[in-house]
Amino acid sequence: MPKMNMIQALNSAMDIMLGRDPSVVVMGEDVGYFGGVFRTTDGLQRKYGEQRVLDTPISEQGIVAAAIGMGVNGLRPVAEIQFADYIYPGYDQIVSELARIRYRSASEFHAPVTIRTPCGGGIRGGQTHSQSPEAIFAHVSGVKTVMPSNPYDAKGMLIAAIEDDDPVIFFEPKRVYNGPFDGNPDQPAVPWSAHPKGEVPEGYYTVPLGKAEIVRPGSACTIVAYGTMVYVAEAAARAQGVDAEIVDLRTIAPLDVDTLFTSVKKTGRCLIVHEATRFGGFGGELSATIQEECFWNLEAPIARVAGWDTPYPHAFEWEYFPGQRRVGAALKALMEAA
Amino acid sequence: MAPRPRSRLHVPHPPARPGDPVDFSYVRTSPAGEMPRPEVAAPVATLAPLANELVRVLGDDHRAVGAWDPHLEPDVLQVGLRHMLLTRLFDERMQRTQRQGKISFYMRSLGEEAVSVAQAMALRPGDMLFPSYRNQGIYMVRGRPLVDLMCQLLSNTRDMCKGRQLPVMYHWKDGNIFSISGNLATQFPQAVGWAMAAAIKGQDDVACAWIGEGSSAEGDFHSAMIFAEVYNAPVILNVVNNQWAISTFQGFAGGEQATFAARGPGYGIPGIRVDGNDFLAVYAVTQWAAERARTGSGPTLIEHVTYRAAAHSTSDDPSRYRPKDEYERWPLGDPVERLKSHLVALGEWSEERHAALAKELEEHVTKSWKEATKFGTLTEGPKLDPDLMFEDVYKEMPPHLEKQRAQLRAELAAAAAERGAERG
């Protein structure tokens, strides 16, 4: 099986879809000639031409709107927003337009647009290159919001997103582009080639949207995480010696409640971990949803670990980042409660 | 020594508010027939005068003059008059039905009918239209039955939007008319994307979008212009300058120091300022822009100088912010009257024929209304199934929406049971 990092896996997904489906186009700032600031679209314009792999002006509003128009005219655009922090100029076009076109036209029109965007911190990006804004998209009916955590899922889910007739906001946790990251920046980086999820088939396959994955079965508690935090949670559980069941959510919305309910009913304890700010974060929705269904199975209050409710500071990146120490402390408290 | 001038915040004021004498001296016009008609492939740099003067074909003597005369046959002009008059009569009737409480909301296009009708007639059926909310004339041209539009206004069981959209927010896939958004100007850059896709696919269809001068202040305008220019997209971008954005006059959208058309050349796009109440001029510039787009010379920005004769909507009262007699004194007249007078001057129309046409169309509107109300009104008749609320959010309904639909069904069943029990 070939080894790929997440960037190569995403590149392979777009390569395959550009090759299979003439209606697929890739567009975004610097994605064409240069191949993207993270190299995710490297070589695609050379292979498929500049009519199908388009550099765009620096206008997220224009990128999303143009992708909508293209989608309405029969194309399947894969639009890159260079950093999730830059997505806000396109937010009205996503929320008021992309998400609503099918509904307001009673399915006469739809726009099968995939919006890829790197998110998350831990890369010395400061407050404008580190945000995790998934919750503000999860709140919007009409779009699907996903965040794969590894190369295998990234490729399979991106292909599924491109083929999906509904719009998909595809968050790429950029701290794990090159390897799983356990939250300790002082440790030597681990490459994806050393991880089973770095084994990625060359050809076409899909990983379904809307399905969470249990990445580590366990019996003592359930840790719900996604993106970079999957690996931080794994490391923290290992360090604490807790037999945690770790659920990688993969899709934020629509949410795979069945996997969550089954796991929490089994373990009776639940810790939710995300990198995004806590207040109004997606963890609140997860906590409420799990509590409504699993209350009588819970042995302790559901706990949350998240980024602090501040902007993501450049100089205090590791004090901000919800690393192993914070996750570990929450896990210890969860296991000691009641 | 004179004191040094200082910066002072300028707050634009319209020339007249209620009670003031009407003043349209700021509306610069050019004599009919004066503007040259450049070749459709002419370089942008040579087209600057079109953005600052006013393209007019119909003169004060109701004759068509000059290079922009599209030389339409009388039967085509009569069709145009018919569509404009139907739009107006439809609007009048829907306004009355709103006042009677039969529909919740309406927006008339009174005084602006030439923009939608002439433009839709100058385009091909395969060209994709991205309208705003005052473009109902395009539906007349493309032949959507009035009953269908009325059912949308009524949110009844035949509503094309299944009860999800405010009245007038129509859509028509088969007629190549995109869904209207209540968020202003969003359709402008979407139309550019549609046109980019047409170019990618090698089709020669063009896209055509409309916004008001007021919403040209949105970032969407800029995004549309940038993408249109960068990719040389086959698109016609229209700014309908009807002088008023609810209560703010066109100066609040940046119209005091420059025309809206003049923004075009700044982006490298031809800008044409046209008499929006002159059916022939609107037709001609649209034909020019469509031909330019279709033959690979890219986008055009058209500013239609017109006047919003009606209130913004049925929820608006313009007597609170503008003189009541502005429309009577509007220098570019009434588009229906002007086309009618032109046909009369050609010997191809008469007061009698006009009256007969109006009667026929009024009867058509009346008959359509009777038909539409059979499918329900706000207050009477069959109702849409609330289940429809949960459909089309996604292509396939996710489990959480199925659950919520079941919950609503139970809620409604309980309410019905209570009502039944009360009736005993």
Side-chain angles (χ1 to χ4, degrees):
Chain A
M1 184 84 67
K3 299 279 189 184
M4 294 187 198
N5 64 29
M6 206 155 154
I7 289 165
Q8 292 163 330
L10 292 162
N11 182 284
S12 171
M14 287 184 273
D15 187 358
I16 285 167
M17 291 312 293
L18 283 160
R20 279 170 71 101
D21 182 348
S23 70
V24 172
V25 293
V26 168
M27 60 195 288
E29 297 158 14
D30 301 299
V31 306
Y33 182 85
F34 182 54
V37 296
F38 290 103
R39 319 303 306 146
T40 317
T41 54
D42 190 27
L44 297 178
Q45 190 184 70
R46 269 195 306 284
K47 191 165 174 185
Y48 297 99
E50 58 184 18
Q51 298 274 311
R52 296 192 60 206
V53 181
L54 297 169
D55 279 316
T56 65
I58 302 175
S59 167
E60 292 76 17
Q61 176 182 50
I63 292 168
V64 177
I68 292 170
M70 290 174 168
V72 167
N73 198 359
L75 299 185
R76 280 188 188 274
V78 184
E80 177 179 303
I81 302 296
Q82 198 166 76
F83 286 85
D85 314 70
Y86 302 170
I87 207 165
Y88 309 113
Y91 196 56
D92 181 44
Q93 284 284 348
I94 294 171
V95 174
S96 310
E97 301 294 316
L98 183 59
R100 307 272 174 78
I101 286 167
R102 177 185 293 284
Y103 191 69
R104 75 185 199 216
S105 71
S107 282
E108 277 191 35
F109 292 101
H110 73 284
V113 174
T114 301
I115 296 176
R116 291 181 39 244
T117 188
C119 69
I123 59 134
R124 288 263 177 240
Q127 49 120 5
T128 54
H129 299 75
S130 304
Q131 295 169 60
S132 296
E134 67 275 4
I136 62 175
F137 294 91
H139 191 60
V140 177
S141 55
V143 292
K144 296 179 178 175
T145 301
V146 309
M147 193 189 297
S149 69
N150 59 71
Y152 180 86
D153 287 350
K155 177 173 172 180
M157 287 172 69
L158 183 56
I159 291 176
I162 295 169
E163 289 186 329
D164 202 296
D165 283 335
D166 290 315
V168 179
I169 313 297
F170 193 96
F171 285 104
E172 301 169 3
K174 57 187 175 292
R175 189 60 179 82
V176 294
Y177 267 160
N178 292 310
F181 172 64
D182 68 3
N184 185 346
D186 302 324
Q187 292 284 348
V190 179
W192 279 115
S193 57
H195 193 281
K197 292 284 192 181
E199 290 183 6
V200 178
E202 288 278 7
Y204 171 96
Y205 68 93
T206 61
V207 171
L209 308 185
K211 295 283 175 213
E213 186 190 23
I214 295 171
V215 293
R216 184 196 184 280
S219 59
C221 70
T222 300
I223 304 179
V224 184
Y226 49 88
T228 306
M229 301 316 292
V230 170
Y231 306 99
V232 179
E234 272 183 344
R238 206 163 42 239
Q240 293 288 327
V242 174
D243 182 27
E245 178 148 294
I246 297 176
V247 180
D248 178 355
L249 215 48
R250 302 199 292 195
T251 292
I252 313 289
L255 184 62
D256 177 4
V257 291
D258 294 340
T259 300
L260 293 176
F261 294 162
T262 305
S263 177
V264 175
K265 282 178 182 172
K266 181 180 78 176
T267 64
R269 291 171 199 264
C270 180
L271 173 67
I272 296 160
V273 187
H274 61 58
E275 194 181 334
T277 48
R278 177 185 169 102
F279 189 87
F282 192 63
E285 181 62 37
L286 286 169
S287 174
T289 302
I290 292 167
Q291 180 272 136
E292 282 165 357
E293 179 72 18
C294 307
F295 182 79
W296 302 108
N297 303 86
L298 288 174
E299 292 166 37
I302 296 171
R304 280 187 288 165
V305 171
W308 306 126
D309 288 325
T310 69
Y312 215 124
H314 181 250
F316 313 116
E317 180 154 56
W318 300 112
E319 290 82 0
Y320 180 92
F321 186 87
Q324 276 190 47
R325 190 176 299 277
R326 205 179 309 161
V327 176
L331 197 52
K332 187 163 180 283
L334 178 74
M335 295 315 297
E336 287 169 357
Chain B
M1 204 170 102
R4 197 177 131 111
R6 292 174 61 174
S7 173
R8 187 166 182 277
L9 185 74
H10 169 67
V11 180
H13 287 281
R17 286 294 192 186
D20 296 339
V22 173
D23 178 7
F24 280 126
S25 57
Y26 73 89
V27 181
R28 293 191 308 106
T29 66
S30 315
E34 194 181 63
M35 295 303 296
R37 182 182 188 277
E39 294 300 313
V40 294
V44 178
T46 65
L47 301 172
L50 288 174
N52 292 302
E53 305 301 326
L54 190 68
V55 174
R56 306 181 74 190
V57 172
L58 287 173
D60 293 339
D61 61 354
H62 306 303
R63 298 283 173 179
V65 285
W68 283 98
D69 179 3
H71 299 289
L72 300 174
E73 294 297 326
D75 60 331
V76 176
L77 298 177
Q78 287 161 0
V79 168
L81 185 64
R82 183 185 186 91
H83 290 320
M84 285 203 288
L85 194 55
L86 179 59
T87 305
R88 183 167 291 186
L89 295 172
F90 173 73
D91 278 356
E92 279 174 15
R93 176 63 64 90
M94 294 307 100
Q95 172 83 8
R96 287 206 301 278
T97 61
Q98 194 278 338
R99 291 294 183 245
Q100 292 160 356
K102 307 269 189 197
I103 61 175
S104 62
F105 177 81
Y106 195 70
M107 304 179 95
R108 286 181 289 164
S109 60
L110 182 66
E112 302 175 35
E113 294 92 342
V115 174
S116 298
V117 170
Q119 292 210 276
M121 285 179 67
L123 294 168
R124 300 196 315 210
D127 295 333
M128 186 72 187
L129 310 184
F130 289 79
S132 181
Y133 48 69
R134 222 180 292 283
N135 294 114
Q136 44 268 51
I138 64 176
Y139 277 91
M140 309 302 159
V141 174
R142 294 214 163 164
R144 185 79 190 234
L146 293 189
V147 175
D148 293 351
L149 302 182
M150 289 166 168
C151 287
Q152 194 279 333
L153 300 172
L154 288 158
S155 290
N156 70 14
T157 54
R158 281 277 193 93
D159 173 9
M160 62 177 84
C161 301
K162 298 188 182 171
R164 294 159 188 165
Q165 284 263 64
L166 202 64
V168 316
M169 308 287 175
Y170 317 111
H171 63 264
W172 190 17
K173 176 90 183 287
D174 291 344
N176 291 315
I177 303 179
F178 189 61
S179 158
I180 297 168
S181 177
N183 290 56
L184 301 186
T186 48
Q187 71 275 18
F188 231 43
Q190 292 166 3
V192 176
W194 192 97
M196 288 167 66
I200 289 169
K201 294 196 283 186
Q203 296 165 343
D204 71 347
D205 297 320
V206 308
C208 182
W210 292 266
I211 59 173
E213 90 287 351
S215 63
S216 75
E218 291 281 4
D220 297 89
F221 173 86
H222 168 73
S223 297
M225 295 295 282
I226 282 289
F227 275 65
E229 192 282 330
V230 167
Y231 299 106
N232 203 36
V235 63
I236 304 170
L237 296 168
N238 298 286
V239 172
V240 182
N241 179 2
N242 65 12
Q243 314 306 316
W244 288 99
I246 304 187
S247 70
T248 51
F249 82 120
Q250 53 96 37
F252 256 98
E256 280 191 322
Q257 302 297 333
T259 70
F260 292 90
R263 295 180 190 178
Y267 285 94
I269 294 174
I272 306 182
R273 186 167 173 264
V274 66
D275 176 348
N277 289 11
D278 178 339
F279 179 91
L280 293 176
V282 172
Y283 190 103
V285 298
T286 307
Q287 204 175 33
W288 185 92
E291 186 60 15
R292 184 177 174 91
R294 229 183 281 294
T295 52
S297 292
T300 301
L301 177 72
I302 301 175
E303 175 189 353
H304 303 261
V305 181
T306 183
Y307 185 82
R308 194 196 78 209
H312 166 69
S313 74
T314 48
S315 308
D316 176 41
D317 174 9
S319 71
R320 296 173 63 118
Y321 54 77
R322 66 183 189 185
K324 279 187 173 150
D325 53 345
E326 266 198 349
Y327 186 48
E328 290 160 36
R329 294 164 198 279
W330 173 242
L332 300 177
D334 176 295
V336 174
E337 287 302 315
R338 285 176 68 191
L339 183 58
K340 176 187 154 195
S341 300
H342 174 57
L343 275 162
V344 170
L346 289 176
E348 297 286 350
W349 201 244
S350 65
E351 288 297 341
E352 294 71 35
R353 288 177 75 178
H354 197 79
L357 176 64
K359 185 160 181 285
E360 178 205 327
L361 296 176
E362 270 177 19
E363 282 166 8
H364 176 46
V365 172
T366 301
K367 198 165 153 249
S368 301
W369 180 251
K370 277 188 186 140
E371 175 72 11
T373 52
K374 281 184 198 163
F375 304 107
T377 71
L378 268 184
T379 50
E380 294 153 36
K383 296 272 179 219
L384 279 171
D385 185 346
D387 263 11
L388 291 169
M389 193 184 329
F390 299 96
E391 291 178 9
D392 306 313
V393 180
Y394 299 92
K395 188 178 183 187
E396 280 151 32
M397 195 179 296
H400 71 285
L401 289 182
E402 284 177 15
K403 209 173 147 188
Q404 290 171 18
R405 183 176 63 180
Q407 193 182 342
L408 176 64
R409 281 175 182 167
E411 210 175 281
L412 295 174
E418 272 174 36
R419 281 197 303 273
E422 280 165 20
R423 283 196 211 102

